[in-house]
Each structure stands twice: as C-alpha cells, then as structure tokens.
Amino acid sequence: MAYRIFTFLLLLFSLTGAAQTWQRNASIPVQVENYYLANPWMGGLNAPQFSNIDVNGDGTKDLFVFDRQGERKLVFVQTSTASGQSYWYHSPQYENLFPKLNTWVLLRDMNCDGWEDIVTNYQSGMVLYINTTPITGALSFEPYENLQLIKSDYDLGGGPFNAPIYCMSVDIPVIEDIDGDGDMDVLTNTESSTGIYYYQSQQAQNGDCSVLDFNCVNRCYGMVSEASESFSLFIGEQFTCPLNVVNPKSKSAKHTGGTLAAIDLNGNGIKDLIIGDVTESNLAAVYLVDTPQGPDSAVAFTTQFPMSPPIDLHLFPAAYYEDVTNDGISDLLVAPNAIFGAEDRKSVWLYVNQGTESNPDWVFSSTDFLQNQSIDVGVGSYPVSADVDADGDLDVLLAARYYDTENLISKSCIHLLRNDTMNGEWQFNWASQDWMGLSALNFQNIYPSWGDWDGDGDGDLVIGELNGNLYLVRNVGSANNPNFGAPQLLMDATGTVIDLGQSSTPLLVDVNQDGLLDLVAGEKSGNVNFYKNVGTDASPSWSLVTENLAGAQASSYLGLDGYSVPALVKGEGALWNLYLGCEKGWVNHYQFQGNLPTQGQLMDEQWLDIREGDRSSVVFGDFSGEGSADMLMGHSGGGLAYFTTDSVTISVDEWEEELVWAVYPNPGSEVLRVKSSKVGPASIVVIDTTGRVMVKKVAADGDVSFDTSQWGAGLYSVVLESNGYRQSKLWLKN
C-alpha cells in the first residue's frame, strides 16, 4: 500500500527523488503596502540590457532582458492587447530556449527575415545565433557558422585583410541600419574608446542578406573623439582621428570602456550617437549631419541627455531604444553597464517616447522600470525561513547588500516577507525593508540564521558578516513580538573568537540529533564549518568538529572563492542532504551521515540544473502550509525565485493495514498527545522548525503524551515510524 508523505522544512526525506520535479512558481502574491507586485519573483535587476522579440508568436513584441550581473536571461511577455497599454508578465518558461550568453546581448534581425537573431560577445568580438523559429514553429536558435567570430574586411593602408569585428566585452556596441539600406551595420568603440569603428554591412549590396558580409569603412565615425582619460568629447576643429593601431585585434592600447546607441534625435534621417563612459554617471548625445567633411559628422553635443531630467546613474550608463509601452514606437531605457559599484535598486530609467521613431519626444517615467513590480533588494539576496511572529507559519528574512550611491559605501539590512492570509488567500506581505533597524549595526554582507538560542521559547538571530565573524543578536522581546539587544561576538568553547575568514553564512540546526542546536557555517573560501553544541539548551557552547563538513567545496570560477551558503535537509536515518549555494550560481548537492560529518559524497554539482544568477543561496520550507516542500533561491541579482514541487511518495509493501493516527489537541499548549490505531513499538520524534529534536521516544502502545509547557510557541513536526513505515503530521503550539 502506498502512503503520501510530505516534506517539512529540514525534515525527513531527500529532495532528489526521481518522481519529484521543481518548477518556478510566479503565482504567489506579494503585497507591498496597499498594492500587489506584478512580477515579485522575477529575481531583480542590476546591469540589464533590453531587446524586443516576439517569443510566443502572437505578433506582439515581448521583452528579452540580459543582466550582465550573473549573466541572467529574463523574458517578459506583453499581455496587453491594447495599443499604448503595457503589462509585462515574467515568463521564465521561455528563458531556457535562449542559449548561454556572455557579457552583452542585442537581438537584431541579422538576415533580413523579420525575426530577431541573437548577437552576443565572445572574446574581443561577437558571434551570432540565427532565429530558427519560422522553421521549427517554436522559439529556437541555431549557431551561425559554428559560432565563429563575425568578421569584416579591412584596409588600413597596408593592403586588404579579413579579421573579426572588434568589440571588447566591457562595451555595448550599436547594431542598427546606419545607412538605411535594410541590413544591420555595426558601430563599436576603438581599442582605447577614443573613436568609433563603422562596419558597414554589404548584404544588401550583395543581394543576399542570409550571408554576413562587413567592411570597415570608417575608423573615425561621426568625426567625434573622446579623451583617453576623461569623458571630454572633441568635434569640429578640435577633432583628431585616433588611428591608433593597424590591427583591430590588438590589445596594446588602453581600453577604458564605453557604451553606444544610435537614435535619430531630430528627424534629419541620420542616427545620432548616445555615448556612455565607464567612469561617468551621465550620457552624452552627439548630433550628426551630412557634411562635405564626411558622411554623418558631429556638429553639436550635450553631456546632459535627455534634458529633463538628465541621466544620473552613478556609474557607466548604457542606453537602449526599445518599445516597452506597446505603441509600436521605441522608448529610451538606461541602465548601468557595470557589475560592481553601480546603482542596484533604481537602476532602470525609463523615458517614454511621445514623439515618433525618428523624432522622439522624451517624457520621464521612472527610475525603476520592472524593478518596481518585483522583489529587488540590491546586489545579492539571502532568504532565510523564520516564524518571526510565532503564528505557526514560515516568514522569510531576506538579507541583502545594496550600494549606497550617496555615501559610496555598501550597506546591509534584512527585509521581512511576512507570511499572511488576506481574505482567505495565502500571500506574502513585504512588511519591512529594514527589519528591526538592523542596518544600524553597519554589518557588511549580512547573513542571518534564526533559532531559539537560549531555550526560552523565542527566536534569536546569529548573524554572519563580511569579516568572517559571527554575532549573536538575542531576542529580548517575546516569541510573537521580537525585540533585539546589542550584538555579541561569538566565541567557541575555549573562549576563542569564531573567525571564518570572510563572508560567513551561519545555520542553526541539530546535526547530530541530540536535541541541541549545532552551528553550521559557510564562508568565502567555499568550505563548510561544523561546530557541535557541547553546552546546554539554555547555554550553548561551540566546539569545532570540522572545517570541511561532508568534504564539501562550493563551486567557484577561479577555484578560489566559492562563497558557500549551506542548507540542510534531513534524509532517512542519519542521512543529511547538504544543498550548497556557490559563486557560480548553481546548487551543489552533497550527502553525509550525521555521525560521520567529515565524510560526504558530491551527488550533483549542478543540482537539477537550477541557476538564477551568481552567488546562489537556497532555503526549503512549507511556506504555503499545504504540506509540500517549497524552495526560495536568492542570488546576485538581488531578487528571489520561488519554486514548488510535488509531494514525496513512499511505498511500503510490508505494511499490512492502514495506520490511522492523530496528534491532539491541535492547536495545543501544555500537552501533546499522539494516538495511533496500531499497537506495538513505534518511534515518535517531535522536531521544531530549525530541525532540533524536542523529544524522541519509543512507545510500546498507541497512546503517548508529552509535556510541552517549556516549548516555545510555533509549528512542530511529529514523526511516527514503525516497521519501516514513516509519516509526519504538523502540530501548532499556542
């Protein structure tokens, strides 16, 4: 006979069964003040790049977003059918249809068939994926010429030659029809970002748009140059052509970084230039005309673009000209092109175009397009489950680091997503963006763990920080109304300060199932530390068992800094599953026995192929209260991804008759009773939300009582096991 058994928090069963699948779930409502977020679980944005494309074949342009921070792909479907009315819905089901992409991505119709292809960076150039949707019937892409670098013909005075189009990965190029002949030309910065290469497509001239063919016709396009060490622009008599190298592939010249966009700003039929610089917060607009001195020559520029208000994005802005208002006319989007030290919460400025495509009229709309409809807390997000109000359900503490562009420092705080029910419907309420004012502690790279530290029935915090130390922030309030005292530096049983190097990520969990919370903590180096609790329930004391729990090492790009973030899920018997967030953004899955913590096995370096961005972290729990496991994933993008799964089914062939059992009174307060229809020895274990074993007893008959008067209010899992049969029920203590 088969029985359905549900996972709960850190308990019971492995999350890797063949019958189990995890799926992104965008339907969970999140309320902020008096409105609901349209796309709460999209994952945040830091350095996004924008391109229109019809992903679902309905004839309406949708939006593809590539975030340079974490190399994330996001797709938003336009669900409004009325022109000029726009409603974007995050649709992750399309994201894996795009190939792996690098540093910058622009979607352009490169073969004149009416479908947007993918142009993306590779090395110091670019490669192409052709949109094959017209052939396959569903959104699909195929590499063009085995992803060879797109090449151009050159003649720099020493004779013609063919070499890749030059475009450094730090830049954003222009891929537009510059000369108006119907095919896509390319503008890129020169090696030192002081001038602009113009690669003219010859596809229209050749009469075959399916084969790429470029010619480098100008190394000083627009007759505009930029100072090598500043954002000073030179036109007219001040302009000099920076013919700096004979081979565009050369890296001998200093490259500082720049972004380009091409938009006809004044309706004269010539696309003007929008230029951004790696060290600046503003954009410059360079106006071009056709003059006797050369085609498309600069006659004026402004460094305050657009005029009301001008862009002020702190660092390295890039402009994109795409339709996001669903009226068929492109709008202006501006976002940082930097992955460190840039604005990370209000980083998408939108100017709605109320003019025409070739003579725009900008009207400022917002500084947080798409972000204002999502959970976006900065660079990096770390979700932690905690019942902070002792109402029996799991809330989310969301730790985050954001960049304060006014004071030029990074700050850390904790956001509270409170688990609520409104009008009978379950939802999260984004109740605080600086829970308990913890940002005043001035911690960096904050990471909290929640648990009853001192056995007094309420939840306390252990906080990891950039410096590698751990801090106890004790709850001096109550279980349902927490209030925290001053942080105390944690020491081990010998009185030595616990120092984990950098970026410590603690977790309170009873690893050896002795009824005491132990301490597990990741760190920047990528290993996982395990401190056994050798104290008491009311007065814990930590003794280092191993710096290499399960022999785990978080995946890293250079083999140096794994940035491990542990999550533990209890398996059968003494088995534990370690799900390890890492620098590369995957989840590393290890297994180990609680009595052999130094020995473990890597089960999957890329668990279920789930990745949302760099610097991943995961937390499991039954947030919905429906008895099934949920998962939240945080990452470098500063948002959250919500995953749900089917329940775990265990088949027990030898169980002869259906077992009927109950926990009562439920809710209860002083006493918990467990009664079953099966008489005979059975193991009963009660576990709290941190995985701590509150009581364990082998019962000889089917009616057992437990004194719970000293237990804290909250949700507990009652596990009954007999003759290979195992089932759990939830019990709420008031």
Side-chain angles (χ1 to χ4, degrees):
M1 183 178 295
Y3 294 87
R4 185 166 295 276
I5 301 175
F6 300 103
T7 60
F8 173 69
L9 296 178
L10 305 178
L11 312 178
L12 305 184
F13 303 114
S14 167
L15 299 174
T16 58
Q20 193 174 45
T21 59
W22 290 90
Q23 294 181 335
R24 287 287 298 268
N25 190 328
S27 66
I28 311 303
V30 176
Q31 185 179 21
V32 181
E33 296 178 349
N34 61 349
Y35 69 96
Y36 288 90
L37 299 177
N39 296 299
W41 310 106
M42 77 176 199
L45 297 172
N46 289 327
Q49 304 159 16
F50 301 90
S51 297
N52 283 131
I53 182 175
D54 182 4
V55 299
N56 55 4
D58 65 353
T60 300
K61 293 297 184 184
D62 306 304
L63 192 63
F64 175 78
V65 182
F66 179 77
D67 197 332
R68 183 186 288 259
Q69 170 67 265
E71 298 186 337
R72 301 170 55 227
K73 300 171 291 187
L74 298 98
V75 171
F76 297 86
V77 168
Q78 178 61 260
T79 59
S80 174
T81 58
S83 177
Q85 295 182 4
S86 181
Y87 185 86
W88 296 108
Y89 182 72
H90 180 220
S91 304
Q93 66 269 28
Y94 295 102
E95 292 166 1
N96 286 336
L97 302 179
F98 289 80
K100 178 177 172 55
L101 303 168
N102 299 291
T103 64
W104 62 259
V105 178
L106 296 172
L107 306 188
R108 300 290 187 266
D109 180 8
M110 300 300 291
N111 59 359
C112 312
D113 65 352
W115 298 80
E116 289 84 0
D117 309 300
I118 302 173
V119 188
T120 187
N121 167 254
Y122 183 71
Q123 297 176 344
S124 298
M126 56 186 71
V127 295
L128 172 65
Y129 290 87
I130 293 294
N131 190 331
T132 54
T133 303
I135 300 173
T136 64
L139 185 67
S140 59
F141 301 91
E142 292 293 336
Y144 177 78
E145 292 190 345
N146 296 316
L147 292 184
Q148 294 184 45
L149 289 171
I150 300 174
K151 294 183 178 181
S152 172
D153 291 329
Y154 296 84
D155 190 342
L156 307 181
F161 64 95
N162 187 262
I165 290 176
Y166 179 81
C167 182
M168 285 293 287
S169 62
V170 71
D171 292 348
I172 299 291
V174 165
I175 304 177
E176 300 285 350
D177 184 6
I178 299 298
D179 55 10
D181 64 355
D183 53 24
M184 291 291 163
D185 308 299
V186 176
L187 302 177
T188 71
N189 285 297
T190 60
E191 289 77 6
S192 60
S193 290
T194 56
I196 298 172
Y197 284 116
Y198 174 24
Y199 298 94
Q200 185 184 58
S201 173
Q202 306 300 306
Q203 292 161 261
Q205 289 85 337
N206 296 340
D208 184 1
C209 206
S210 65
V211 180
L212 299 188
D213 184 8
F214 290 95
N215 189 5
C216 182
V217 298
N218 197 329
R219 290 179 288 159
C220 311
Y221 179 75
M223 297 185 69
V224 57
S225 60
E226 181 182 344
S228 60
E229 300 295 335
S230 72
F231 198 27
S232 298
L233 297 178
F234 306 105
I235 64 174
E237 294 181 354
Q238 294 180 315
F239 164 75
T240 58
C241 186
L243 301 179
N244 47 6
V245 295
V246 295
N247 183 355
K249 295 176 64 177
S250 170
K251 298 181 181 180
S252 60
K254 182 178 180 180
H255 186 94
T256 55
T259 64
L260 296 172
I263 305 171
D264 186 356
L265 298 173
N266 51 16
N268 68 350
I270 298 176
K271 286 184 168 61
D272 306 295
L273 296 174
I274 312 299
I275 301 176
D277 186 86
V278 69
T279 61
E280 304 301 319
S281 61
N282 60 310
L283 287 174
V286 181
Y287 295 87
L288 305 183
V289 297
D290 198 358
T291 69
Q293 287 78 23
D296 305 344
S297 300
V299 293
F301 70 86
T302 176
T303 57
Q304 300 295 303
F305 174 81
M307 293 300 294
S308 56
I311 289 295
D312 184 11
L313 252 177
H314 179 62
L315 190 65
F316 205 10
Y320 306 90
Y321 199 40
E322 307 290 337
D323 179 15
V324 297
T325 52
N326 197 31
D327 60 0
I329 302 172
S330 297
D331 307 292
L332 179 66
L333 295 159
V334 182
N337 194 43
I339 59 175
F340 300 109
E343 172 62 50
D344 51 31
R345 292 173 299 162
K346 295 181 179 293
S347 54
V348 185
W349 288 36
L350 169 62
Y351 295 81
V352 174
N353 184 359
Q354 294 190 349
T356 65
E357 191 76 14
S358 59
N359 194 6
D361 179 16
W362 311 119
V363 176
F364 176 72
S365 177
S366 69
T367 60
D368 52 2
F369 172 67
L370 293 180
Q371 293 173 302
N372 56 21
Q373 293 297 322
S374 73
I375 298 169
D376 191 344
V377 296
V379 176
S381 53
Y382 299 103
V384 173
S385 62
D387 184 5
V388 301
D389 48 10
D391 63 351
D393 54 31
L394 288 177
D395 310 298
V396 177
L397 298 179
L398 181 59
R401 175 178 64 85
Y402 65 93
Y403 192 74
D404 185 341
T405 55
E406 292 184 5
N407 299 304
L408 303 182
I409 59 173
S410 293
K411 288 187 175 181
S412 287
C413 61
I414 295 177
H415 299 248
L416 171 62
L417 299 177
R418 193 176 61 223
N419 198 330
D420 283 340
T421 300
M422 297 293 290
N423 301 320
E425 297 293 330
W426 170 63
Q427 66 174 41
F428 282 109
N429 186 343
W430 195 349
S432 176
Q433 298 194 24
D434 187 9
W435 186 58
M436 297 295 172
L438 292 173
S439 66
L441 297 177
N442 292 318
F443 286 145
Q444 299 295 301
N445 284 25
I446 193 171
Y447 188 92
S449 182
W450 176 265
D452 185 0
W453 173 274
D454 46 15
D456 62 354
D458 57 37
D460 309 292
L461 288 174
V462 173
I463 293 178
E465 210 246 354
L466 176 65
N467 63 13
N469 294 144
L470 300 174
Y471 299 87
L472 167 64
V473 185
R474 195 184 301 270
N475 186 355
V476 295
S478 62
N480 59 1
N481 189 22
N483 185 30
F484 295 103
Q488 305 171 34
L489 191 62
L490 279 193
M491 300 183 182
D492 65 16
T494 68
T496 303
V497 171
I498 297 177
D499 186 349
L500 303 182
Q502 291 187 38
S503 298
S504 51
T505 54
L507 176 66
L508 293 172
V509 57
D510 185 5
V511 175
N512 56 3
Q513 300 288 278
D514 63 354
L516 301 176
L517 289 179
D518 304 306
L519 177 64
V520 173
E523 58 174 288
K524 179 181 178 182
S525 297
N527 55 296
V528 181
N529 304 271
F530 170 40
Y531 286 81
K532 179 182 177 180
N533 188 345
V534 295
T536 65
D537 186 47
S539 182
S541 181
W542 313 109
S543 178
L544 179 64
V545 176
T546 178
E547 295 179 345
N548 296 284
L549 179 65
Q553 183 65 35
S555 299
S556 64
Y557 285 111
L558 301 177
L560 297 173
D561 299 327
Y563 289 98
S564 53
V565 184
L568 284 173
V569 177
K570 188 69 175 64
E572 295 283 0
L575 181 68
W576 283 94
N577 292 280
L578 171 61
Y579 297 94
L580 199 60
C582 65
E583 183 188 35
K584 294 179 72 174
W586 305 103
V587 176
N588 307 152
H589 175 213
Y590 288 83
Q591 287 186 338
F592 69 97
Q593 299 290 327
N595 56 349
L596 296 171
T598 61
Q599 302 176 27
Q601 182 178 0
L602 175 62
M603 307 302 293
D604 192 345
E605 187 176 6
Q606 299 178 8
W607 179 63
L608 300 185
D609 203 32
I610 294 176
R611 182 186 184 276
E612 294 292 323
D614 291 343
R615 300 285 296 274
S616 57
S617 66
V618 293
V619 62
F620 299 95
D622 180 13
F623 296 100
S624 66
E626 296 177 347
S628 58
D630 308 309
M631 179 178 70
L632 289 173
M633 173 176 276
H635 51 82
S636 59
L640 291 175
Y642 196 103
F643 292 82
T644 53
T645 185
D646 54 357
S647 56
V648 179
T649 301
I650 304 296
S651 295
V652 184
D653 296 331
E654 297 180 0
W655 191 249
E656 299 170 352
E657 60 180 315
E658 183 174 357
L659 176 66
V660 179
W661 66 293
V663 294
Y664 66 97
N666 196 5
S669 56
E670 303 295 318
V671 176
L672 164 65
R673 297 189 66 183
V674 180
K675 187 172 184 178
S676 72
S677 61
K678 180 74 173 179
V679 178
S683 171
I684 300 173
V685 184
V686 183
I687 311 173
D688 71 4
T689 58
T690 67
R692 180 174 55 172
V693 175
M694 305 301 297
V695 65
K696 183 174 183 179
K697 185 175 182 179
V698 176
D701 56 42
D703 195 351
V704 183
S705 298
F706 300 98
D707 180 5
T708 63
S709 59
Q710 302 302 310
W711 297 5
L715 203 60
Y716 295 83
S717 180
V718 182
V719 184
L720 184 145
E721 185 172 6
S722 178
N723 295 330
Y725 174 84
R726 192 178 195 185
Q727 190 174 10
S728 67
K729 294 181 182 293
L730 303 183
W731 180 71
L732 176 63
K733 174 178 166 58
N734 291 326

PDB file of all heavy atoms in Angstrom, residues 41-60:
ATOM      1  N   TRP A  41       8.637  37.583  -8.238  1.00  0.00           N
ATOM      2  CA  TRP A  41       9.658  36.544  -8.178  1.00  0.00           C
ATOM      3  C   TRP A  41      10.570  36.541  -9.402  1.00  0.00           C
ATOM      4  O   TRP A  41      11.216  35.549  -9.690  1.00  0.00           O
ATOM      5  CB  TRP A  41       8.998  35.176  -8.015  1.00  0.00           C
ATOM      6  CG  TRP A  41       7.992  35.159  -6.913  1.00  0.00           C
ATOM      7  CD1 TRP A  41       6.637  35.136  -7.035  1.00  0.00           C
ATOM      8  CD2 TRP A  41       8.257  35.202  -5.498  1.00  0.00           C
ATOM      9  NE1 TRP A  41       6.038  35.152  -5.796  1.00  0.00           N
ATOM     10  CE2 TRP A  41       7.010  35.191  -4.832  1.00  0.00           C
ATOM     11  CE3 TRP A  41       9.429  35.233  -4.731  1.00  0.00           C
ATOM     12  CZ2 TRP A  41       6.893  35.215  -3.444  1.00  0.00           C
ATOM     13  CZ3 TRP A  41       9.322  35.264  -3.350  1.00  0.00           C
ATOM     14  CH2 TRP A  41       8.070  35.249  -2.719  1.00  0.00           C
ATOM     15  N   MET A  42      10.680  37.655 -10.118  1.00  0.00           N
ATOM     16  CA  MET A  42      11.497  37.675 -11.338  1.00  0.00           C
ATOM     17  C   MET A  42      12.991  37.658 -11.022  1.00  0.00           C
ATOM     18  O   MET A  42      13.803  37.300 -11.864  1.00  0.00           O
ATOM     19  CB  MET A  42      11.168  38.895 -12.185  1.00  0.00           C
ATOM     20  CG  MET A  42      11.762  40.189 -11.692  1.00  0.00           C
ATOM     21  SD  MET A  42      11.400  41.546 -12.825  1.00  0.00           S
ATOM     22  CE  MET A  42      12.665  42.720 -12.324  1.00  0.00           C
ATOM     23  N   GLY A  43      13.392  38.084  -9.823  1.00  0.00           N
ATOM     24  CA  GLY A  43      14.791  37.933  -9.422  1.00  0.00           C
ATOM     25  C   GLY A  43      15.618  39.196  -9.381  1.00  0.00           C
ATOM     26  O   GLY A  43      16.801  39.138  -9.097  1.00  0.00           O
ATOM     27  N   GLY A  44      15.030  40.370  -9.646  1.00  0.00           N
ATOM     28  CA  GLY A  44      15.781  41.614  -9.549  1.00  0.00           C
ATOM     29  C   GLY A  44      16.612  41.908 -10.785  1.00  0.00           C
ATOM     30  O   GLY A  44      16.823  41.049 -11.643  1.00  0.00           O
ATOM     31  N   LEU A  45      17.085  43.157 -10.876  1.00  0.00           N
ATOM     32  CA  LEU A  45      17.911  43.601 -11.995  1.00  0.00           C
ATOM     33  C   LEU A  45      19.043  44.468 -11.467  1.00  0.00           C
ATOM     34  O   LEU A  45      18.844  45.274 -10.562  1.00  0.00           O
ATOM     35  CB  LEU A  45      17.085  44.417 -12.999  1.00  0.00           C
ATOM     36  CG  LEU A  45      15.933  43.705 -13.717  1.00  0.00           C
ATOM     37  CD1 LEU A  45      15.107  44.705 -14.513  1.00  0.00           C
ATOM     38  CD2 LEU A  45      16.455  42.603 -14.607  1.00  0.00           C
ATOM     39  N   ASN A  46      20.224  44.319 -12.070  1.00  0.00           N
ATOM     40  CA  ASN A  46      21.369  45.146 -11.695  1.00  0.00           C
ATOM     41  C   ASN A  46      21.999  45.847 -12.896  1.00  0.00           C
ATOM     42  O   ASN A  46      22.169  47.057 -12.893  1.00  0.00           O
ATOM     43  CB  ASN A  46      22.424  44.316 -10.957  1.00  0.00           C
ATOM     44  CG  ASN A  46      21.979  43.930  -9.572  1.00  0.00           C
ATOM     45  OD1 ASN A  46      21.253  44.668  -8.912  1.00  0.00           O
ATOM     46  ND2 ASN A  46      22.382  42.752  -9.126  1.00  0.00           N
ATOM     47  N   ALA A  47      22.380  45.083 -13.906  1.00  0.00           N
ATOM     48  CA  ALA A  47      23.002  45.657 -15.108  1.00  0.00           C
ATOM     49  C   ALA A  47      22.296  45.104 -16.337  1.00  0.00           C
ATOM     50  O   ALA A  47      22.890  44.399 -17.153  1.00  0.00           O
ATOM     51  CB  ALA A  47      24.493  45.339 -15.141  1.00  0.00           C
ATOM     52  N   PRO A  48      21.005  45.428 -16.499  1.00  0.00           N
ATOM     53  CA  PRO A  48      20.205  44.792 -17.562  1.00  0.00           C
ATOM     54  C   PRO A  48      20.410  45.439 -18.922  1.00  0.00           C
ATOM     55  O   PRO A  48      20.699  46.623 -19.052  1.00  0.00           O
ATOM     56  CB  PRO A  48      18.775  44.999 -17.069  1.00  0.00           C
ATOM     57  CG  PRO A  48      18.838  46.279 -16.288  1.00  0.00           C
ATOM     58  CD  PRO A  48      20.191  46.284 -15.628  1.00  0.00           C
ATOM     59  N   GLN A  49      20.222  44.613 -19.952  1.00  0.00           N
ATOM     60  CA  GLN A  49      20.246  45.036 -21.351  1.00  0.00           C
ATOM     61  C   GLN A  49      18.935  44.586 -21.983  1.00  0.00           C
ATOM     62  O   GLN A  49      18.446  43.498 -21.689  1.00  0.00           O
ATOM     63  CB  GLN A  49      21.444  44.411 -22.069  1.00  0.00           C
ATOM     64  CG  GLN A  49      22.777  44.724 -21.406  1.00  0.00           C
ATOM     65  CD  GLN A  49      23.871  43.734 -21.765  1.00  0.00           C
ATOM     66  OE1 GLN A  49      23.748  42.974 -22.715  1.00  0.00           O
ATOM     67  NE2 GLN A  49      24.941  43.732 -20.991  1.00  0.00           N
ATOM     68  N   PHE A  50      18.372  45.400 -22.877  1.00  0.00           N
ATOM     69  CA  PHE A  50      16.997  45.209 -23.329  1.00  0.00           C
ATOM     70  C   PHE A  50      16.914  45.041 -24.842  1.00  0.00           C
ATOM     71  O   PHE A  50      17.580  45.750 -25.600  1.00  0.00           O
ATOM     72  CB  PHE A  50      16.147  46.403 -22.912  1.00  0.00           C
ATOM     73  CG  PHE A  50      16.125  46.641 -21.427  1.00  0.00           C
ATOM     74  CD1 PHE A  50      17.068  47.464 -20.827  1.00  0.00           C
ATOM     75  CD2 PHE A  50      15.177  46.029 -20.633  1.00  0.00           C
ATOM     76  CE1 PHE A  50      17.063  47.676 -19.454  1.00  0.00           C
ATOM     77  CE2 PHE A  50      15.159  46.233 -19.265  1.00  0.00           C
ATOM     78  CZ  PHE A  50      16.106  47.055 -18.675  1.00  0.00           C
ATOM     79  N   SER A  51      16.058  44.113 -25.269  1.00  0.00           N
ATOM     80  CA  SER A  51      15.778  43.907 -26.695  1.00  0.00           C
ATOM     81  C   SER A  51      14.354  43.403 -26.855  1.00  0.00           C
ATOM     82  O   SER A  51      13.895  42.553 -26.082  1.00  0.00           O
ATOM     83  CB  SER A  51      16.738  42.879 -27.314  1.00  0.00           C
ATOM     84  OG  SER A  51      18.078  43.316 -27.274  1.00  0.00           O
ATOM     85  N   ASN A  52      13.660  43.910 -27.871  1.00  0.00           N
ATOM     86  CA  ASN A  52      12.330  43.402 -28.210  1.00  0.00           C
ATOM     87  C   ASN A  52      12.427  42.130 -29.038  1.00  0.00           C
ATOM     88  O   ASN A  52      13.322  41.972 -29.860  1.00  0.00           O
ATOM     89  CB  ASN A  52      11.543  44.440 -29.008  1.00  0.00           C
ATOM     90  CG  ASN A  52      10.983  45.562 -28.157  1.00  0.00           C
ATOM     91  OD1 ASN A  52      11.136  46.730 -28.485  1.00  0.00           O
ATOM     92  ND2 ASN A  52      10.340  45.219 -27.065  1.00  0.00           N
ATOM     93  N   ILE A  53      11.488  41.211 -28.814  1.00  0.00           N
ATOM     94  CA  ILE A  53      11.368  39.995 -29.612  1.00  0.00           C
ATOM     95  C   ILE A  53      10.005  39.389 -29.315  1.00  0.00           C
ATOM     96  O   ILE A  53       9.499  39.470 -28.186  1.00  0.00           O
ATOM     97  CB  ILE A  53      12.491  38.977 -29.292  1.00  0.00           C
ATOM     98  CG1 ILE A  53      12.361  37.740 -30.174  1.00  0.00           C
ATOM     99  CG2 ILE A  53      12.498  38.608 -27.814  1.00  0.00           C
ATOM    100  CD1 ILE A  53      13.509  36.738 -30.009  1.00  0.00           C
ATOM    101  N   ASP A  54       9.386  38.805 -30.315  1.00  0.00           N
ATOM    102  CA  ASP A  54       8.126  38.092 -30.126  1.00  0.00           C
ATOM    103  C   ASP A  54       8.449  36.646 -29.771  1.00  0.00           C
ATOM    104  O   ASP A  54       8.826  35.852 -30.627  1.00  0.00           O
ATOM    105  CB  ASP A  54       7.297  38.162 -31.413  1.00  0.00           C
ATOM    106  CG  ASP A  54       5.945  37.474 -31.281  1.00  0.00           C
ATOM    107  OD1 ASP A  54       5.613  37.008 -30.174  1.00  0.00           O
ATOM    108  OD2 ASP A  54       5.231  37.392 -32.298  1.00  0.00           O
ATOM    109  N   VAL A  55       8.287  36.299 -28.489  1.00  0.00           N
ATOM    110  CA  VAL A  55       8.684  34.954 -28.045  1.00  0.00           C
ATOM    111  C   VAL A  55       7.571  33.927 -28.188  1.00  0.00           C
ATOM    112  O   VAL A  55       7.843  32.723 -28.239  1.00  0.00           O
ATOM    113  CB  VAL A  55       9.182  34.962 -26.576  1.00  0.00           C
ATOM    114  CG1 VAL A  55      10.400  35.837 -26.426  1.00  0.00           C
ATOM    115  CG2 VAL A  55       8.067  35.387 -25.633  1.00  0.00           C
ATOM    116  N   ASN A  56       6.313  34.379 -28.226  1.00  0.00           N
ATOM    117  CA  ASN A  56       5.205  33.417 -28.227  1.00  0.00           C
ATOM    118  C   ASN A  56       4.397  33.419 -29.516  1.00  0.00           C
ATOM    119  O   ASN A  56       3.350  32.767 -29.592  1.00  0.00           O
ATOM    120  CB  ASN A  56       4.281  33.670 -27.035  1.00  0.00           C
ATOM    121  CG  ASN A  56       3.763  35.099 -26.993  1.00  0.00           C
ATOM    122  OD1 ASN A  56       4.039  35.892 -27.897  1.00  0.00           O
ATOM    123  ND2 ASN A  56       3.032  35.432 -25.942  1.00  0.00           N
ATOM    124  N   GLY A  57       4.870  34.141 -30.523  1.00  0.00           N
ATOM    125  CA  GLY A  57       4.251  34.087 -31.830  1.00  0.00           C
ATOM    126  C   GLY A  57       2.882  34.723 -31.934  1.00  0.00           C
ATOM    127  O   GLY A  57       2.122  34.391 -32.851  1.00  0.00           O
ATOM    128  N   ASP A  58       2.550  35.667 -31.036  1.00  0.00           N
ATOM    129  CA  ASP A  58       1.240  36.302 -31.091  1.00  0.00           C
ATOM    130  C   ASP A  58       1.250  37.610 -31.866  1.00  0.00           C
ATOM    131  O   ASP A  58       0.231  38.309 -31.935  1.00  0.00           O
ATOM    132  CB  ASP A  58       0.688  36.534 -29.685  1.00  0.00           C
ATOM    133  CG  ASP A  58       1.527  37.529 -28.879  1.00  0.00           C
ATOM    134  OD1 ASP A  58       2.599  37.939 -29.362  1.00  0.00           O
ATOM    135  OD2 ASP A  58       1.105  37.883 -27.764  1.00  0.00           O
ATOM    136  N   GLY A  59       2.403  37.951 -32.451  1.00  0.00           N
ATOM    137  CA  GLY A  59       2.502  39.164 -33.240  1.00  0.00           C
ATOM    138  C   GLY A  59       2.800  40.414 -32.452  1.00  0.00           C
ATOM    139  O   GLY A  59       2.981  41.493 -33.033  1.00  0.00           O
ATOM    140  N   THR A  60       2.884  40.311 -31.129  1.00  0.00           N
ATOM    141  CA  THR A  60       3.203  41.443 -30.261  1.00  0.00           C
ATOM    142  C   THR A  60       4.623  41.305 -29.746  1.00  0.00           C
ATOM    143  O   THR A  60       5.031  40.212 -29.322  1.00  0.00           O
ATOM    144  CB  THR A  60       2.227  41.517 -29.069  1.00  0.00           C
ATOM    145  OG1 THR A  60       0.896  41.681 -29.569  1.00  0.00           O
ATOM    146  CG2 THR A  60       2.562  42.683 -28.159  1.00  0.00           C
TER     147      THR A  60
END
